[in-house]
Amino acid sequence: MDSSKEVSLEIFPYIRVYRDGTFDRLAGFEIAPPGLDPETRVESKDVLIVPENGISARIYRPSSASASTKKLPLVIYFHGGAFIIATIAEPKYHASLNALVAESNAIVISVDYRRVPEHPLPAAYDDSWAALQWIASEEARSEPWLRDHADFHRLFLVGDSGGANMSHHLAMRLRDDVLGERVKLSGIGMIQPYFWGETPIGEEVADPGRKALVDSWWRFVCVSDKGGDDPLINPFADGAPGVDGLACGKVLVIVSEKDILRDRGRLYYEKLVEGGGGAAAEFMEIEGEDHVFHIFDPSGEKAKRMFKRLASFMDGDGDGASKKDRS
C-alpha cells in the first residue's frame, strides 16, 4: 500500500481508491495453494474452466472419495467479499471449504469469478453463469475427479454473502433459460446472503451507521440510479422477479444473529414460504455471531454445527416442509 498517494475513496473494510485511479485491496489478497489438507485430509486442485475469461475453479474432494465407488453430492460454491475482495485461494476461504467438504462428504467446486473494480458488474454474475454452463459440458463430466466421484444429479449451489446472492440469480436465470433443461439444481444453501434495499427494515432501522456502510458497499460496485433497490441486490424491489419459479427443489437460508444483513435473509425465507410452491424453504439462525463468522473460525463449534446442517440439507433429510431453527 502506498501511503504517499492521495486517497479519493475508501470503502471499509474492502478497498482504498486513489485519485490517480489506482487502488489497494485492504483484505482478501493472501493466497493458499491447493493440495492435501493435513487436518481434514481433504484434497484440492485448481482447474481452468473458462479460458476466454481466465476463470478457474478449485475442486475439493473428501478423503473418503478415493476409497469408495459411491458418487457424492456436487456443490458449486461462490465465495463472498462484497464483489470486491477474496478469491478461491484466499486462505480463510480455503480452510472453511476444507472443513465443509470434510463434514458434508461432498465434491465442491469453488468458482473464481472476476471482481470489482477491474471488472464492473455484472461480470461476476456472468462468470458464475459460465461456471454452470461448464458443469453441463462434456469437459466437466470428463474431469477425472468429477467423473469418478461426483453425482451430477445431486447438484447444489452454495455461497456466502455475495456468493449467496449470485446463487439466487443463477437459479432465477435457469428458470427461463434453455440451460435449465440440462442443469437441474437439487437445492441452494445460502450462508448470510447479501441482499439489501433502500428502505431500512428490522435492525437496520435502529442502526443507521451500519445501514449507511452497507449502502456504500453496494453503490461502489453497482452504478445504478436505483441504489439498494437495484434488482441485483433487492430481489423484492419494484421490477424484480422475486422468488417465484426459483429453479431448485429446496433452499436453506442461514443467517447470523448479529449480522446487519440478517433481516434481509429472513425476508427471503419468508417470501419463499409465502409463495407456497416451488422450492421448499428451510431457515437456520446462528446465535451470537456476525457476518461470515465461519470464514474466520471454521473449526469452531458453531461453524461445525452450520456445516452439519448444510450436510443434512444436501443428504436430503427432512420431508420438504418449511423448517426453522436457532443454533
Side-chain angles (χ1 to χ4, degrees):
M1 299 184 184
D2 188 347
S3 59
S4 66
K5 294 196 293 185
E6 188 174 359
V7 176
S8 172
L9 179 68
E10 183 163 321
I11 304 298
F12 181 82
Y14 299 117
I15 195 168
R16 182 178 297 127
V17 182
Y18 301 100
R19 291 201 179 276
D20 64 4
T22 61
F23 60 87
D24 286 320
R25 286 190 170 89
L26 306 179
F29 46 76
E30 301 91 345
I31 294 176
L36 176 64
D37 178 57
E39 182 174 344
T40 62
R41 309 304 296 172
V42 169
E43 294 181 277
S44 58
K45 65 178 179 179
D46 292 344
V47 296
L48 185 65
I49 63 173
V50 187
E52 55 268 34
N53 289 338
I55 303 305
S56 61
R58 182 163 292 188
I59 306 179
Y60 295 80
R61 68 175 181 181
S63 58
S64 63
S66 58
S68 173
T69 58
K70 181 182 177 181
K71 296 296 182 72
L72 304 175
L74 178 58
V75 174
I76 306 178
Y77 192 94
F78 302 103
H79 67 77
F83 301 98
I84 303 169
I85 65 167
T87 69
I88 58 172
E90 204 281 329
K92 294 183 181 66
Y93 271 106
H94 182 60
S96 68
L97 285 179
N98 280 326
L100 172 62
V101 170
E103 186 61 53
S104 64
N105 200 37
I107 302 296
V108 171
I109 305 172
S110 178
V111 178
D112 203 20
Y113 56 84
R114 291 172 293 172
R115 301 165 298 170
V116 174
E118 303 98 314
H119 304 284
L121 295 182
Y125 294 90
D126 293 340
D127 293 346
S128 301
W129 180 253
L132 284 188
Q133 293 175 312
W134 182 77
I135 283 293
S137 71
E138 287 302 317
E139 181 183 358
R141 292 169 187 268
S142 62
E143 198 290 322
W145 285 13
L146 302 185
R147 179 195 63 211
D148 295 342
H149 305 300
D151 184 349
F152 285 83
H153 297 292
R154 287 192 290 164
L155 178 63
F156 293 84
L157 303 183
V158 178
D160 65 271
S161 195
N165 170 302
M166 289 195 294
S167 296
H168 159 79
H169 286 285
L170 291 173
M172 293 303 294
R173 189 170 174 180
L174 282 173
R175 178 193 66 177
D176 302 321
D177 193 276
V178 66
L179 185 63
E181 299 174 5
R182 293 184 292 148
V183 175
K184 302 295 185 181
L185 298 180
S186 297
I188 302 175
M190 294 186 169
I191 305 171
Q192 290 111 37
Y194 182 21
F195 298 124
W196 204 235
E198 284 294 303
T199 302
I201 64 172
E203 285 298 312
E204 301 163 22
V205 177
D207 197 343
R210 283 207 293 172
K211 173 68 167 69
L213 182 65
V214 180
D215 286 345
S216 72
W217 298 347
W218 182 249
R219 289 178 181 136
F220 177 75
V221 301
C222 182
V223 180
S224 168
D225 59 2
K226 296 181 180 179
D229 283 338
D230 188 280
L232 286 177
I233 194 69
N234 187 349
F236 310 114
D238 290 343
V243 292
D244 292 342
L246 198 68
C248 65
K250 56 185 179 179
V251 180
L252 169 60
V253 181
I254 301 173
V255 302
S256 290
E257 181 184 15
K258 295 182 178 180
D259 186 2
I260 192 65
L261 302 182
R262 179 194 65 181
D263 294 301
R264 300 291 173 172
R266 186 188 299 274
L267 175 64
Y268 189 91
Y269 164 78
E270 290 171 350
K271 291 290 187 180
L272 283 172
V273 174
E274 289 171 11
E282 301 181 25
F283 183 84
M284 179 184 195
E285 182 170 340
I286 311 293
E287 294 182 340
E289 297 292 349
D290 210 328
H291 194 60
V292 296
F293 73 96
H294 66 289
I295 301 299
F296 301 98
D297 185 19
S299 61
E301 287 305 311
K302 290 183 180 179
K304 289 180 179 178
R305 285 202 294 271
M306 189 187 79
F307 294 149
K308 285 181 184 295
R309 180 63 185 274
L310 281 164
S312 174
F313 175 75
M314 290 187 286
D315 277 344
D317 291 356
D319 58 7
S322 297
K323 297 191 296 184
K324 295 179 70 173
D325 69 57
R326 289 172 63 87
S327 178

